[in-house]
Amino acid sequence: MVIAASPRAEAQRNAAPIVQPRDPGPAAFAARAEEMRLLAIARGDQPYGAIVVKAGLIVGEGASAVITDLDPTAHAEMQAIRDAARRLRTDDLSGCELYGTSRACPMCEAAAYWARIARLRHGAGPAAGEPPSLR
């Protein structure tokens, strides 16, 4: 009997490598989140982008796919968290930071909390740097 690979396992194998910034740091990571926002716009979706960073490396990326995937949970932050979890092969993103082009909504902040993301940063600055919380 042949067992087909799960769609998630297939996505993991087919994930394009993440191009790392030459000069990693908050400004470069915020700029990459902005590039993801522009990608979402180019695809005809909402203007949001996000990335997940661990130990100075981008480990997950996400462009909003709410409209294009007809999925109300496909916010950029959720996409980036899912991508990081697939690439790292874990649901524990301890030590990671989530950079978004805007402040995370309650759903995305809760997802970051449950994924154990250490800090949330948002905006071009990027502002904040708070740990996620369940308010």
Side-chain angles (χ1 to χ4, degrees), residues 102-125:
S102 65
R103 187 176 180 95
C105 75
M107 174 184 69
C108 294
E109 188 166 357
Y113 174 86
W114 291 114
R116 296 173 207 82
I117 288 179
R119 298 258 176 252
L120 302 176
R121 297 179 183 268
H122 64 274

Side-chain angles (χ1 to χ4, degrees), residues 3-94:
I3 299 174
S6 74
R8 289 183 185 191
E10 192 65 31
Q12 171 66 31
R13 277 195 295 278
N14 294 331
I18 295 174
V19 177
Q20 300 297 324
R22 286 186 188 152
D23 194 16
F29 298 140
R32 183 59 184 156
E34 175 64 18
E35 289 174 13
M36 299 309 296
R37 184 184 82 82
L38 295 174
L39 177 62
I41 293 169
R43 291 178 176 170
D45 220 293
Q46 298 173 333
Y48 302 105
I51 65 166
V52 175
V53 174
K54 184 169 190 170
L57 295 173
I58 299 171
V59 295
E61 300 178 311
S64 178
V66 170
I67 295 168
T68 54
D69 285 0
L70 302 174
D71 179 353
T73 69
H75 292 194
E77 296 88 348
M78 298 291 285
Q79 299 290 78
I81 290 168
R82 290 171 181 149
D83 188 43
R86 276 192 301 268
R87 290 174 187 272
L88 297 175
R89 298 178 182 216
T90 183
D91 63 345
D92 184 351
L93 301 179
S94 295

